[in-house]
Amino acid sequence: MKKLLTATLAAAALASVSFTAAQAQTKELVVAFFPEWPMPFQYAQAKKIYDKELGVTVKWVSFDAGTAMSAAMASGDVHIAVSQGVTPFLTAVSAGQDLQAIDVALTYSDNDNCVVRKNLEITKDNAKELEGKTVGVPLSTAAHTGFLAQMAHFGVDTSKMKIVDMAPVDSAAAFANGNMDMVCGWGGPLRRMKEFGNVLIEGAEKEKVVGKVYDVISTTGSWAKENADLVSKFLKVTNDMNDKFNGGGEGEMIGEIAKMAGQDEATAKAIMTTGMKFITSKQALSDGWMGGFLVENFNAAGAKLAEGGTVKALPSYEGAVNSSYLKAAAGM
C-alpha cells in the first residue's frame, strides 16, 4: 500500500511538473527577427495583434545574422525565427540541430548583394581585379553563399582575397570609412553600402547566377510539435499581414513597420519595394515552394556547402521542411 501511495504521489508530482512546464511554454513566445529588414508582420508586432490572437505575450528579439538565430534556438532562448537565411538554417540542420522550415518568409533577389568600392572601377568585365582585395562578408549566411557564387561565376580566386567575417551593419560602416574594398549584406545596410559603391550584377542576371534568394520562417521541431496550435496561429497572423500589405494596405502599415524596423518611412518603403516579395500561404504550399522546391533546393545547397567544406551534408533535407503548421494556418 505504501509503495502504491508513493508511486501515485510520484506520478502526480510528474504530472504537475509536466502541466507547469506546458503552462510555462505558452506564457511567452520569443521570436527572432532582423533589424532594418522591414516586413509586413511588423505591423502586427507594433499593434500587438500576435499577443491578442495567440493569447500569449510575444517577445521580439533582434539578431544581426541567421547564425545567431540558430544558436538562440539551440539554447531554447528563441522559439521562432522570422526570415532566417537558407545558408545558416542548413548549416545548423547539417550539424544536427532540430530545426524545421515552416514557411517561406519572403523572396528578395535584389535585396541581398555585394558592393564594390566606386573608386576601384571594378565591374563584371574586370572582376578578376578583386583578387588581393579585402571583403566584409557575414559568413554562413545567404550573403556569403551569394558572394561565393558570384566570385565563382567571374572566375575570381577567393583564396587570394582577404575575407573578414562581419555583420552587414558593421561592414557598411567600415565601407563608408574606406576600410573595405567590397562588402556584402542586405536591407538597410545594403542601401548604405550602395552610397559608396556599385554592384556587379543584379536582377535576372544575378538570379541566374545565385538562384532564388529567399528566407524561411524556422522553429525547433520538438518545440513546435508540442505547441502546434500556437505555431499555426503565428503563421496565420503573419500571412494575414502579407495579404493585407499586398492587397493595398501599405499606406496604413508602413509607418508602424518602419518604427519596428528602426527606420524612417521613406527608407522602409524603398527597401520593401526593391525586390521584396511576400508570397501567399497558397503559393508557399505549392510545388514551387514547400510542396517540392524547398527540399530540392536544400539538397542542392547542402551539397554545395559540403563541397566548400562548410558542412557535412545530410542524405536528404526532407525532414527539415514541415508544411503541416502552414496548412493548418491556411484553414483557420
Side-chain angles (χ1 to χ4, degrees), residues 243-319:
D243 292 343
K244 182 179 176 69
F245 186 86
N246 292 334
E250 179 188 321
E252 176 190 347
M253 301 170 75
I254 195 66
E256 300 293 349
I257 292 171
K259 191 189 304 177
M260 293 297 100
Q263 298 169 319
D264 59 65
E265 287 189 28
T267 299
K269 185 174 181 178
I271 291 172
M272 295 182 82
T273 54
T274 305
M276 274 189 168
K277 294 179 182 177
F278 310 100
I279 65 176
T280 65
S281 56
K282 183 178 180 180
Q283 289 171 322
L285 289 167
S286 72
D287 291 344
W289 287 103
M290 297 187 75
F293 169 77
L294 243 65
V295 174
E296 293 173 8
N297 186 247
F298 285 179
N299 288 341
K304 198 75 176 174
L305 289 170
E307 280 178 26
T310 306
V311 304
K312 182 178 180 180
L314 301 181
S316 172
Y317 288 86
E318 186 175 359

Side-chain angles (χ1 to χ4, degrees), residues 230-244:
L230 190 67
V231 175
S232 294
K233 285 179 179 177
F234 180 87
L235 295 182
K236 173 68 165 65
V237 174
T238 302
N239 280 278
D240 282 349
M241 294 303 103
N242 288 344
D243 292 343
K244 182 179 176 69

Side-chain angles (χ1 to χ4, degrees), residues 31-34 37 39 41 50 60 69 73 78 80-85 105-106 215-218 234 238:
V31 183
F33 72 104
F34 285 122
W37 191 237
M39 293 177 63
F41 80 86
Y50 284 102
W60 300 87
M69 289 178 173
M73 283 189 282
V78 163
I80 295 173
V82 178
S83 207
Q84 184 178 32
L106 80 164
D215 283 358
V216 298
I217 296 178
S218 58
F234 180 87
T238 302

Side-chain angles (χ1 to χ4, degrees), residues 47-279:
K47 296 290 188 180
K48 294 193 178 297
I49 296 173
Y50 284 102
D51 304 61
K52 179 183 176 183
E53 295 298 322
L54 274 60
V56 300
T57 299
V58 181
K59 180 181 178 182
W60 300 87
V61 186
S62 66
F63 291 87
D64 286 330
T67 48
M69 289 178 173
S70 294
M73 283 189 282
S75 67
D77 293 333
V78 163
H79 302 120
I80 295 173
V82 178
S83 207
Q84 184 178 32
V86 171
T87 301
F89 173 80
L90 290 179
T91 299
V93 171
S94 300
Q97 191 171 337
D98 177 27
L99 288 186
Q100 293 182 339
I102 55 174
D103 198 355
V104 177
L106 80 164
T107 68
Y108 57 102
S109 292
D110 281 336
N111 225 313
D112 181 296
N113 214 331
C114 295
V115 183
V116 183
R117 181 165 298 287
K118 285 179 182 177
N119 61 11
L120 293 177
E121 297 183 350
I122 295 176
T123 67
K124 63 182 179 181
D125 298 318
N126 62 337
K128 273 291 260 185
E129 292 182 22
L130 285 169
E131 293 177 1
K133 300 296 189 290
T134 301
V135 55
V137 185
L139 300 184
S140 298
T141 66
H144 184 207
T145 303
F147 160 72
L148 293 175
Q150 289 192 53
M151 295 304 97
H153 175 71
F154 291 117
V156 178
D157 186 349
T158 55
S159 70
K160 295 180 181 178
M161 303 176 78
K162 182 180 178 181
I163 300 174
V164 183
D165 185 7
M166 298 182 77
V169 171
D170 298 325
S171 59
F175 198 52
N177 292 331
N179 297 325
M180 290 282 158
D181 299 313
M182 181 180 187
V183 286
C184 305
W186 53 77
L190 177 60
R191 279 178 59 80
R192 295 194 292 279
M193 292 170 186
K194 287 182 177 180
E195 293 176 15
F196 302 93
N198 303 303
V199 299
L200 298 176
I201 50 175
E202 56 189 340
E205 184 180 10
K206 174 176 173 281
E207 195 162 285
K208 191 177 292 185
V209 172
V210 177
K212 280 183 179 180
V213 180
Y214 65 98
D215 283 358
V216 298
I217 296 178
S218 58
T219 186
T220 302
S222 56
W223 176 87
K225 188 176 181 180
E226 294 171 0
N227 297 274
D229 189 55
L230 190 67
V231 175
S232 294
K233 285 179 179 177
F234 180 87
L235 295 182
K236 173 68 165 65
V237 174
T238 302
N239 280 278
D240 282 349
M241 294 303 103
N242 288 344
D243 292 343
K244 182 179 176 69
F245 186 86
N246 292 334
E250 179 188 321
E252 176 190 347
M253 301 170 75
I254 195 66
E256 300 293 349
I257 292 171
K259 191 189 304 177
M260 293 297 100
Q263 298 169 319
D264 59 65
E265 287 189 28
T267 299
K269 185 174 181 178
I271 291 172
M272 295 182 82
T273 54
T274 305
M276 274 189 168
K277 294 179 182 177
F278 310 100
I279 65 176

Side-chain angles (χ1 to χ4, degrees), residues 1-13:
M1 183 68 177
K2 185 177 179 182
K3 287 182 179 178
L4 178 61
L5 179 60
T6 301
T8 303
L9 289 171

